[in-house]
Amino acid sequence: MAVDVLLINPPDQKSKYKKYLNIRIPPLGILYIAAVLEQNGISVEVMDCAADDSVYRDIEEKIAEREPFLIGITATTPLIDEALLSAEAVRRVSKSSIVLGGPHATFMYNDILRENSAIDLIIKGEGEYTFLELYQALKNGTDLSMVQGLVFRSGGEIIENGDRPRIQDLNALPYPARHLLPKENYRIFDVNMPIATMICSRGCPMQCSFCASSALHGKKIRKRSPRNVVDEIRHIQETLGISMIAFMDDTFTLMPGWVQEFCKLLIEESLDIEWGCTARVDRIDSDLIRLMKKAGCETLFIGVESGEQDILDIVRKGTRIEQIRTVFDTAYDIGMRTIASIAIGLPGETKETAKKSVSFVKSIRASYALFSVATPYPGTEYYRDVLESGEFLEDWSRFDLFSPIVETMSLTLDEIRNLQRRAYREFYLRPIYILRTLAKEGRPFFHTMKVLISP
């Protein structure tokens, strides 16, 4: 039976986080698009190749079976090659229009359309209503130049329509169409821990030079109401039976007053959930951490970035070493799990500063640490600076947070990679740390340890 739209999250066989930690989370972006399409009477299916380990042959078979009128593929920078190969797989068996969306497509649309004949159209920025209007225009044979946020080919030329205004009332969006995907596909670790993802905001006013969030969603933060978010949590519990939530906001705690209201609602309504979120250390204090813990928050993911204040200042992180230490101390004291994210190889990095970052993360007693390599993603100031330097090869397959992309004034690419390997071993292979974490985390901790043997 034919379907109007098929949305594809491309295969992902290289993610080390997926390989070692078995982190598989639902693709919220295309699930929001699917929900808007369904709301408007359009039949839609979602194929999450990354979660169900589908390959390109599976895509061909799905297309041949379902004969969709329009195919949408999401494209992040690490998986842009896989997204383009997915488009080629579609094209081998179908003449239907193929549209690409997502962060990489938003920032690199000209290059993509110029170099990849399988891609017909690109959606820039937030895709829910652009995709809906694109479908309607194609179905009705109307002028594509009227669809805001769309880039397409016409007569051998690339036509870029005006940008679509960002969605101001996020409460008006339907909940993501989670019913289109089997909940069993999504979990963290190889244990029975099904998980749902949610997002409460879009936009970020921060100035971090390595982050593309504000370029994608704007500098003005737009928040859903706490009531709207709590209602969605209840909906997830009732329809999917899931009570573990990962909030995917760039910075969940950006507006502490909002977090307070949200937590109080969770407590008042006795919603028995476990959740985790991202936090900035300058937008959270001890009282808020304790309230979040009372409301079910068990995990804080914090972008520490570096243990050297000068590097934090260079990348305009806007946080202080003392703030980082205070937040981690509080979380440790109340038994909250913390994940510290460090980027090795940021501008100004040396062997000494990298070693200092590892020592710092050990000293703040982080539960886990993720040592990525600094990566200049398209849309960031960091990317623009690297392009201007003229010493940069756009090999997107290396944008995986484990493959060094840019040297610093003091470090070669090999030295950055060796520092990353050393950081993982130095942090995780501490006998006291292993015993303490194994006692608290149990089996999932062994999956984290597999990161240590990555090539």
Side-chain angles (χ1 to χ4, degrees), residues 49 130 132 158 204 229 266 294 305 315 412 440:
C49 303
T130 302
L132 172 62
I158 296 176
C204 181
V229 175
L266 286 180
K294 185 178 179 182
E305 315 310 349
V315 299
T412 66
K440 183 176 181 180

XYZ file of all heavy atoms in Angstrom, residues 49 130 132 158 204 229 266 294 305 315 412 440:
91
model
N 16.937 4.098 10.234
C 17.960 3.102 9.909
C 19.026 3.011 10.994
O 19.595 1.939 11.231
C 18.619 3.447 8.570
S 17.466 3.582 7.190
N 7.623 23.967 6.615
C 8.185 24.001 5.261
C 7.917 22.682 4.554
O 7.528 22.658 3.381
C 9.701 24.281 5.312
O 9.926 25.523 5.973
C 10.278 24.360 3.910
N 5.498 20.551 5.194
C 4.064 20.468 4.913
C 3.704 21.257 3.663
O 3.014 20.742 2.758
C 3.274 21.000 6.110
C 1.765 21.164 5.914
C 1.102 19.829 5.633
C 1.139 21.858 7.127
N 20.142 27.049 -9.025
C 19.723 26.804 -7.648
C 18.939 28.013 -7.168
O 19.442 29.132 -7.160
C 20.946 26.545 -6.736
C 21.650 25.260 -7.170
C 20.513 26.459 -5.273
C 22.913 24.963 -6.390
N 19.260 29.802 21.389
C 20.248 29.942 22.465
C 20.928 31.302 22.349
O 21.467 31.646 21.292
C 21.288 28.831 22.380
S 22.534 28.916 23.690
N 4.872 20.652 28.670
C 5.894 19.610 28.769
C 5.440 18.488 29.703
O 5.590 17.302 29.391
C 7.230 20.213 29.251
C 8.268 19.115 29.485
C 7.751 21.232 28.241
N 5.963 18.651 38.356
C 6.219 17.208 38.421
C 5.974 16.671 39.823
O 5.373 15.600 40.000
C 7.673 16.915 38.011
C 8.049 17.006 36.536
C 9.535 16.689 36.357
C 7.222 16.054 35.689
N 14.767 16.116 43.494
C 13.493 15.753 44.112
C 12.432 15.460 43.069
O 11.548 14.619 43.270
C 13.030 16.885 45.038
C 11.765 16.580 45.831
C 11.403 17.732 46.761
C 10.126 17.431 47.531
N 9.739 18.573 48.409
N 33.990 21.552 28.747
C 34.825 21.953 27.601
C 36.313 21.952 27.926
O 37.106 21.415 27.176
C 34.415 23.333 27.034
C 32.923 23.560 26.859
C 32.174 22.471 26.116
O 32.787 21.587 25.526
O 30.930 22.488 26.148
N 37.014 30.597 23.698
C 35.845 30.100 22.953
C 34.551 30.747 23.435
O 33.459 30.362 23.010
C 35.738 28.565 23.034
C 36.971 27.924 22.424
C 35.513 28.085 24.474
N 49.677 18.799 16.907
C 49.344 18.194 15.630
C 48.079 17.354 15.784
O 47.625 17.084 16.908
C 50.480 17.298 15.139
O 50.604 16.173 16.037
C 51.801 18.064 15.077
N 27.739 1.549 42.061
C 26.568 2.410 41.892
C 25.808 2.129 40.605
O 24.571 2.114 40.589
C 27.010 3.878 41.907
C 25.862 4.862 41.808
C 26.349 6.302 41.929
C 25.175 7.273 41.857
N 25.620 8.678 41.968
